[in-house]
Amino acid sequence: MLLATLSDMSSEGIEAVARPRKRGEYAKTRARRQEILEAALQVFAASGYRNGSLREVAERVGMSEAGLLHHFPSKVALLEGVLRTRDDQSFDIVSPELLHGAALLEGLAALAEYNSTVPGIVELFCILSAEATASDHPAHEYFQERYRVTVELVERAVQEMADAGQLRGGTTPQSAARTMVALMDGLQVQWLLDRDSVDMPSEIRNYVATLTVPHVS
C-alpha cells in the first residue's frame, strides 16, 4: 500500500523499538533478494528462462540452491520477481498517472534512452518475450497482459492528443498505439544486433513527430 493508517504506523514504530534487530535483518534479506534478482537477470538474459538454471543463479551470488529457494520458492517465483523489478524501473520513468498525451509518448522515448544503458535487461526482455509466445511458458500470461496494458496506455495518450487538436488527420489512436509498441520492440532487437547504428530514442521521437500537428508560432 502507498499509504499506511496511523495505527499501522504506530505498530511498526513499537515493533522497531522492541526488536531493533528485525529491521537490520529485513534490510539484509531485501538486499540479498535484490542481489539474487540481478544475478537471475544476467542468467536469463544469457541463456533464456528455460535454459537458465537456479543452480547457476545461486552460484553467481555465492549461495546454495536451497538457500536461494529460501528467498524465492520456485523458478517461476524468481522469474516473476525479475519481471516485476523491470516493470518498477519502467514506471519510475513513465508514470501513466502523471503523464498524459504527448508527454507520455515523450516518456516512452526517455524509457528507450534508459534501456540503452541496461542492455542486459533489454536482452532478457527480447528473449523472454519470444519464449513466452508458447502457451505453456510461465511468462505467457504476463506478456499478454503487458501488451494489452501498454497498447491501452499509448492509445489513451494518442486520444488525448486528438482531443487537444494535436493529432494529425488520418491517424487513429489504436493504429498509432499498435505501431508505437511494435516500433519500440523492433528497435530493441535492431539495437541489440548493432548498437552503433540504432538510436532508439531518436527514432521514437521521429515517429511521434509524424503523429503531431506542427506547432505554428
Side-chain angles (χ1 to χ4, degrees), residues 151-163 167-168 170-180 207 211:
V151 169
E152 287 182 356
L153 287 174
V154 178
E155 183 177 353
R156 185 203 71 186
V158 178
Q159 182 62 58
E160 289 169 344
M161 291 174 62
D163 295 341
L167 189 66
R168 287 180 184 268
T171 303
T172 66
Q174 184 178 39
S175 176
R178 290 286 183 188
T179 302
M180 172 66 83
Y207 175 65
L211 301 176

Side-chain angles (χ1 to χ4, degrees), residues 75-97:
K75 190 177 180 182
V76 172
L78 181 57
L79 174 63
E80 291 173 349
V82 169
L83 293 173
R84 190 176 303 114
T85 297
R86 184 188 189 279
D87 286 343
D88 289 344
Q89 293 170 340
S90 297
F91 276 99
D92 284 342
I93 299 171
V94 182
S95 174
E97 296 179 355

Side-chain angles (χ1 to χ4, degrees), residues 80-149:
E80 291 173 349
V82 169
L83 293 173
R84 190 176 303 114
T85 297
R86 184 188 189 279
D87 286 343
D88 289 344
Q89 293 170 340
S90 297
F91 276 99
D92 284 342
I93 299 171
V94 182
S95 174
E97 296 179 355
L98 301 177
L99 300 178
H100 300 277
L104 189 141
L105 301 188
E106 172 57 32
L108 295 178
L111 177 59
E113 192 166 359
Y114 167 74
N115 284 343
S116 67
T117 69
V118 285
I121 293 178
V122 178
E123 290 173 4
L124 175 63
F125 174 82
C126 290
I127 292 170
L128 284 178
S129 61
E131 287 185 343
T133 56
S135 59
D136 63 341
H137 193 283
H140 182 75
E141 292 185 1
Y142 164 84
F143 277 99
Q144 280 186 319
E145 180 66 8
R146 177 193 176 279
Y147 277 109
R148 184 189 67 79
V149 170

Side-chain angles (χ1 to χ4, degrees), residues 18-33:
R19 292 195 296 269
R21 291 183 180 179
K22 288 294 184 181
R23 185 177 295 276
E25 291 171 1
Y26 173 77
K28 290 180 180 178
T29 298
R30 185 174 182 180
R32 194 59 161 163
R33 283 174 58 88

